[in-house]
Amino acid sequence: YLRHAEIKHGRVAMAAFLGYCAQCTDLVKGEHSIAPYKGFVADVSPQEQWDNIPLWGKLQIFTLIGMLESYGEGAGMDESEYVHYTKGGLPGFYPSIKGKGAVTPLPLDLFDPFGILKTQSPEEKERGRRVEINNGRGAMLGILAILSVSKGLVVPPLDLLPIPKYDGDVMVPFSNDFSFFGHTFNRVIDWGSR
């Protein structure tokens, strides 16, 4: 269980680190001829980009994550397709999604889209798992260090890099716009009177 959690969190951290680096580029954060989402503001930090996404967009992102998570836990599969990691299955294994889908069959797998891992020997796969765990650990440290530097903390040597500053709270992902139909809960509920 713990190994599976470590692998999963490492994968999320690797995606987060890469996403943060990509969102700092002018290609993503710069001016666009067509706004990628309602409320887009150019030249802001990745955290501010997240803050500017409307609530419905954030809920769509979390719904997709939940769907992938439930599928990764073997939802709707029988024992011949997937053995859960708590029942002797391989930690970190993600079942194939190729050819599955309610409307249109998916053309590629999520974990190994080009079938590269099928040609590897068991020793190469075991080495790859160890490398993935170590890369995930490094990515967890990296994304936390970048978020710390963006809040103004000193994290040598990252504080020498041009990491954009953020004055919000990254631990409260819905802090600026938790609203339905334009009515924020902060306007509806007087939090100060409680």
Side-chain angles (χ1 to χ4, degrees), residues 153-185:
L153 300 174
V154 177
V155 181
L158 292 180
D159 52 343
L160 302 175
L161 297 176
I163 295 173
K165 301 300 181 212
Y166 177 63
D167 61 353
D169 190 354
V170 294
M171 301 308 286
V172 185
F174 293 105
S175 62
N176 82 319
D177 181 34
F178 194 79
S179 63
F180 290 101
F181 308 112
H183 301 320
T184 63
F185 288 114

Side-chain angles (χ1 to χ4, degrees), residues 26-189:
D26 290 333
L27 179 68
V28 177
K29 74 174 185 174
E31 292 291 337
H32 295 280
S33 57
I34 299 173
Y37 55 85
K38 183 180 174 184
F40 176 77
V41 178
D43 296 322
V44 296
S45 70
Q47 299 98 317
E48 291 167 323
Q49 291 174 33
W50 172 259
D51 288 345
N52 294 332
I53 295 174
L55 176 66
W56 293 109
K58 293 175 185 177
L59 292 176
Q60 289 175 14
I61 292 169
F62 280 119
T63 300
L64 175 65
I65 291 169
M67 291 167 59
L68 290 173
E69 179 70 20
S70 67
Y71 187 78
E73 291 291 325
M77 296 183 179
D78 58 13
E79 291 288 328
S80 65
E81 288 183 285
Y82 176 72
V83 178
H84 197 267
Y85 57 89
T86 59
K87 297 178 181 174
L90 183 66
F93 176 77
Y94 196 85
S96 174
I97 61 171
K98 186 175 182 179
K100 298 185 179 177
V103 178
T104 305
L106 298 169
L108 299 172
D109 274 332
L110 181 67
F111 186 70
D112 186 18
F114 304 112
I116 296 170
L117 298 178
K118 293 177 183 172
T119 61
Q120 289 183 336
S121 68
E123 294 81 22
E124 289 174 319
K125 288 182 181 180
E126 180 60 34
R127 182 189 173 281
R129 286 188 201 102
R130 287 194 309 271
V131 168
E132 181 184 22
I133 289 169
N134 286 332
N135 288 345
R137 290 172 181 167
M140 286 185 255
L141 292 172
I143 191 64
L144 288 175
I146 284 179
L147 292 176
S148 298
V149 169
S150 73
K151 290 297 289 178
L153 300 174
V154 177
V155 181
L158 292 180
D159 52 343
L160 302 175
L161 297 176
I163 295 173
K165 301 300 181 212
Y166 177 63
D167 61 353
D169 190 354
V170 294
M171 301 308 286
V172 185
F174 293 105
S175 62
N176 82 319
D177 181 34
F178 194 79
S179 63
F180 290 101
F181 308 112
H183 301 320
T184 63
F185 288 114
N186 288 336
R187 284 187 226 139
V188 175
I189 301 170

